Amino acid sequence: MSKQIIAGGVAIGGGAPVSIQSMLNTATTDVESSFAQIAALKAAGCELARLAVPDQAAAKGFAAIAARSPLPLVADIHFDYRLALECVRQGVDKIRINPGNIGGDDRVKAVVDACREHKVPIRIGVNGGSLEKELLAKYGRVTPEALVESALRHVRLLEKFDFTEICISVKSSDVPLNMAAYRLLHEKVDYPLHLGVTEAGTPTMGLLKSAIGIGSLLQRGIGDTLRVSLTGDPEDEVYAGYDILRAVGYAVAGPE
């Protein structure tokens, strides 16, 4: 059984029910549209909503959204550690980040210290499309081993500062590769795993890839939270997530 983390009151791992996430497709700077979408996600049964925070303008929008959000919020951060610090100050419930791409150890420590103080967990999000160049050179291409090695590097970086409130994802658009990476990672860590298939394609193909890639892992007892990545309305991702859970035998609410 994986260890458990808490994101805005939602338990992830440790035997808790698999939680459903989605990501807004509104600009985080558009506060009213983002808030309306979060409300729609909550009505659909979503448990965690993720927002992109690419710059300071988005960080300001996030602050306004967080003040009114009916759902726990996850901030998607790349490169600028100051954005993570600002979102933590504004009440984020979880951070999605790659610790290795925000600078030196001092910056990683600053984010870790802030997250520890405010009880904010961190998801290490590894993606086949943005794998480190040295790992691509080592393995020759994106492989399950390369994805897992990247994830473990980031885990060790956070553990270096005694931070273990961690969730991990190792996503690829290649379903067999994606599944193999998660199976390998599951053997090596006891941190909760966030399931998903990245860049899954058209709505039909995205649903098929996600049903196979996520559902097969869930049947093996792998996975603690999930997002079905689809083009279109984010609420459809939520409905698809519950359908996958039902299809593999999980007891979830709602009509059959």
Side-chain angles (χ1 to χ4, degrees):
M1 183 181 295
S2 62
K3 80 181 296 289
Q4 187 171 98
I5 63 172
I6 305 294
V10 177
I12 301 172
V18 176
S19 53
I20 303 290
Q21 304 191 27
S22 185
M23 184 167 183
L24 275 64
N25 59 16
T26 55
T28 308
T29 50
D30 186 345
V31 174
E32 292 306 317
S33 294
S34 297
F35 180 74
Q37 197 165 83
I38 292 170
L41 285 172
K42 180 175 175 60
C46 185
E47 294 165 279
L48 290 155
R50 181 155 54 104
L51 300 82
V53 186
D55 52 36
Q56 287 294 338
K60 291 180 181 178
F62 175 85
I65 295 165
R68 301 166 54 194
S69 177
L71 283 177
L73 298 181
V74 182
D76 203 3
I77 307 291
H78 293 275
F79 305 113
D80 191 342
Y81 80 107
R82 294 169 297 180
L83 299 174
L85 296 177
E86 181 62 25
C87 288
V88 170
R89 281 193 291 268
Q90 298 299 339
V92 75
D93 298 291
K94 188 179 175 187
I95 295 283
R96 186 270 188 183
I97 200 168
N98 276 352
N101 70 16
I102 60 172
D105 282 7
D106 57 333
R107 296 182 177 184
V108 175
K109 186 176 186 301
V111 173
V112 164
D113 288 346
C115 287
R116 181 185 295 109
E117 179 182 354
H118 293 273
K119 296 181 171 58
V120 174
I122 293 174
R123 172 161 72 93
I124 295 170
V126 174
N127 191 307
S130 56
L131 199 63
E132 294 96 318
K133 291 181 180 178
E134 63 268 26
L135 290 177
L136 286 174
K138 176 180 178 179
Y139 291 96
R141 58 187 175 85
V142 177
T143 66
E145 293 78 11
L147 289 170
V148 170
E149 183 171 335
S150 177
L152 295 179
R153 283 184 181 183
H154 298 313
V155 167
R156 287 192 291 270
L157 189 54
L158 296 185
E159 289 178 339
K160 176 179 178 179
F161 299 110
D162 298 318
F163 190 86
T164 58
E165 297 304 299
I166 298 169
C167 185
I168 312 172
S169 62
V170 282
K171 296 183 182 180
S172 168
S173 59
D174 180 315
V175 174
L177 190 157
N178 194 78
M179 292 171 59
Y182 273 106
R183 290 196 300 267
L184 180 60
L185 184 62
H186 177 68
E187 294 172 358
K188 293 182 176 294
V189 301
D190 65 353
Y191 291 115
L193 302 184
H194 171 114
L195 301 184
V197 178
T198 193
E199 299 171 1
T202 64
T204 299
M205 183 56 70
L207 184 55
L208 287 170
K209 283 187 172 184
S210 296
I212 296 167
I214 295 173
S216 297
L217 290 168
L218 289 171
Q219 283 194 309
R220 291 171 169 82
I222 299 172
D224 304 282
T225 184
L226 65 86
R227 178 201 169 195
V228 178
S229 298
L230 300 174
T231 55
D233 293 334
E235 302 98 281
D236 291 339
E237 298 184 348
V238 179
Y239 300 135
Y242 281 111
D243 285 343
I244 291 171
L245 288 176
R246 292 188 190 98
V248 296
Y250 281 69
V252 294
E256 176 66 39

